[in-house]
Amino acid sequence: MAKARVKAPKKAKAGDIVTIKTLITHKMESGRRKNKKTGEVIPRHIIDKFTAKFNGETFFSSDWHGAISANPYMSFSFKASKSGEFEFIWHDEKGEITSKKSKLVVA
Amino acid sequence: MKNVKSKRGWKLTSIALGSTLMVGAMAIEVIAKDWGSHEVDGRRSGYTYMTDETRAVQDDNFENPGMLWVENGEALWSKAGANGKSCASCHADPEKDMKGVMPAYPKFDKRTGKMISLEQMVNRELVEKMGEKAEKFDSKKMLSLMTYIGNISKGMPVNVKIDGPAKPFFEKGKAFYYQRRGQLDLACSNCHEDNPGKQIRANTLSEGQINGFPTYRLKWQKPGSVHRRFRGCNKNVRAKPYKAGSDEYVNLELFVKWHGRGLPVETPAVRN
């Protein structure tokens, strides 16, 4: 199970542009490496989709392909207008989903 | 003091020789930079040889991927072993109890009559106190515990004891450091004392300081132990590496740690 870290502000003023940082543990196996002993190709296993939602509505998403490092870091901005809840979702190629929630209060 | 003088002397000659070349100007620029606590008496942490971008990743506690292992180690601290005891059973306040541990290892161990590295100490505790199996140096569990213990001492100066019973082992480590080895016939010192700051293929040579270990190496895409790094270096000079945890590497670790005495612990450092 992948372990995720998210740094998102808890409070903001309406109209503020806030920065959100995310990090997840994942080996992001490229599918190009070989097992040194047997010579067999290690099958590809990466996170292929990342989505950030606010109150259930997607405001940021990205498709990931090969050549992204292990333990990928992703940072992006969000314009705060009302209070609500963030949800960050990482979709793994094997169907494993990791998600993390964080609340935002807009004063 | 002698060491410092010779280092300065080397720097000055390198400027004099390089002044007719383009690199001369660059060398002066690098020397003039103030590295704060990352430079002690002319000894510079590997941090100072990294690019600005890599340094920024290390400095940001969130962005630093090594912190994931630190968090994992923190969780493992209170996880009970096979006999129901956890690290926290004896060391209830790791932030206090484990402070200053990383900068002081390897230490002389009375029981075996030789040096013991921190990994070996952790293994001893795991086996004898918690009824667990011994971990490999680069297993996830070991790296998590090591980065966690190291991170508690972050910023403290490296300070290993090399006198008294540790003296003969220090001498052995020193001999290893200056011994040429492998098909390339290179000693550790040929790169890390004679040529830091210069390029070796696409890499910049550092002084080979180990104050940031276990280090998150971008090439490895995970943290790694000092002994893994030693093995890599030995392989690169086409020498047959020793095993992680071997007496040779523990003694070498003692010498290299002393080599970077006074430098701050940076665990988990980020290097390329």
Side-chain angles (χ1 to χ4, degrees):
Chain A
M1 187 67 188
K3 193 171 170 236
R5 294 176 92 196
V6 168
K7 193 179 184 181
K10 302 258 183 303
K11 284 185 220 162
K13 282 180 200 153
D16 272 3
I17 292 174
V18 298
T19 304
I20 296 164
K21 294 175 174 179
T22 68
L23 188 64
I24 187 165
T25 54
H26 198 285
K27 60 186 171 189
M28 299 293 276
E29 192 62 60
S30 68
R32 294 185 168 273
R33 293 199 311 152
K34 282 178 185 169
N35 182 319
K36 274 183 190 160
K37 282 183 190 136
T38 63
E40 276 172 37
V41 173
I42 305 169
R44 192 174 97 154
H45 182 202
I46 62 170
I47 295 174
D48 57 2
K49 192 169 174 63
F50 170 75
T51 314
K53 290 179 177 175
F54 187 70
N55 285 344
E57 194 186 328
T58 301
F59 70 91
F60 179 89
S61 90
S62 62
D63 293 333
W64 294 359
H65 300 274
I68 289 182
S69 78
N71 311 318
Y73 166 82
M74 177 69 108
S75 157
F76 45 91
S77 304
F78 176 73
K79 191 172 180 181
S81 56
K82 56 179 190 278
S83 301
E85 192 176 45
F86 289 114
E87 190 181 8
F88 307 96
I89 308 157
W90 290 263
H91 296 264
D92 163 306
E93 269 186 329
K94 290 189 179 168
E96 192 183 303
I97 292 171
T98 308
S99 71
K100 192 124 187 170
K101 286 179 179 173
S102 153
K103 284 203 165 82
L104 175 76
V105 176
V106 171
Chain B
M1 263 330 262
K2 241 181 193 171
N3 197 10
V4 178
K5 266 187 190 161
S6 66
K7 268 259 164 71
R8 283 273 149 73
W10 175 82
K11 277 178 185 170
L12 289 173
T13 42
S14 81
I15 296 164
L17 290 171
S19 58
T20 49
L21 304 164
M22 282 294 285
V23 283
M26 280 167 70
I28 291 165
E29 193 186 320
V30 170
I31 288 165
K33 189 154 177 172
D34 178 16
W35 291 109
S37 69
H38 295 286
E39 177 168 1
V40 177
D41 290 344
R43 299 185 287 277
R44 278 166 52 190
S45 160
Y47 178 86
T48 65
Y49 292 95
M50 293 296 112
T51 59
D52 292 345
E53 292 80 3
T54 311
R55 280 200 290 271
V57 173
Q58 177 178 326
D59 289 340
D60 185 335
N61 262 352
F62 183 83
E63 215 175 312
N64 185 338
M67 292 305 286
L68 290 161
W69 274 260
V70 173
E71 279 186 2
N72 197 32
E74 195 176 353
L76 283 173
W77 199 259
S78 48
K79 200 176 161 213
N83 64 5
K85 277 192 173 180
S86 70
C87 305
S89 308
C90 296
H91 312 286
D93 187 3
E95 296 287 334
K96 214 175 98 205
D97 300 345
M98 291 295 125
K99 204 163 177 102
V101 167
M102 185 57 110
Y105 269 85
K107 273 185 179 170
F108 181 75
D109 177 37
K110 278 186 195 142
R111 228 165 80 183
T112 54
K114 52 188 191 183
M115 303 307 293
I116 187 168
S117 77
L118 188 51
E119 282 98 342
Q120 290 167 329
M121 196 65 208
V122 169
N123 264 340
R124 183 184 284 179
E125 300 274 86
L126 282 175
V127 172
E128 293 178 7
K129 303 259 174 70
M130 292 166 65
E132 288 285 298
K133 275 191 295 187
E135 291 287 321
K136 285 193 170 167
F137 274 39
D138 283 281
S139 75
K140 192 181 172 191
K141 189 170 174 182
M142 180 57 82
L143 287 172
S144 301
L145 288 170
M146 286 292 290
T147 44
Y148 177 55
I149 295 169
N151 189 248
I152 289 169
S153 305
K154 192 171 177 178
M156 289 179 74
V158 167
N159 186 15
V160 282
K161 269 203 175 136
I162 58 159
D163 51 356
K167 181 90 176 147
F169 300 99
F170 173 78
E171 293 301 334
K172 277 184 197 164
K174 188 176 180 179
F176 190 107
Y177 192 85
Y178 291 102
Q179 170 71 54
R180 286 176 178 268
R181 64 189 66 244
Q183 281 182 318
L184 299 191
D185 203 27
L186 288 169
C188 308
S189 62
N190 291 141
C191 286
H192 299 295
E193 262 191 17
D194 303 344
N195 291 299
K198 293 185 191 162
Q199 297 290 124
I200 184 159
R201 296 201 176 174
N203 269 329
T204 308
L205 282 168
S206 75
E207 291 169 20
Q209 306 292 11
I210 56 171
N211 53 317
F213 274 84
T215 289
Y216 188 96
R217 209 172 160 216
L218 300 171
K219 181 185 164 185
W220 294 337
Q221 309 228 321
K222 62 182 258 193
S225 66
V226 181
H227 291 204
R228 179 173 180 192
R229 184 66 263 214
F230 287 163
R231 284 174 64 85
C233 261
N234 277 175
K235 268 186 208 160
N236 287 347
V237 299
R238 318 281 186 268
K240 193 170 179 228
Y242 291 89
K243 286 205 169 85
S246 61
D247 294 349
E248 285 84 358
Y249 280 172
V250 176
N251 294 341
L252 178 63
E253 186 181 344
L254 176 70
F255 175 77
V256 178
K257 210 132 182 195
W258 172 85
H259 209 247
R261 61 204 178 280
L263 289 173
V265 173
E266 291 174 22
T267 315
V270 180
R271 304 282 187 262
N272 61 10

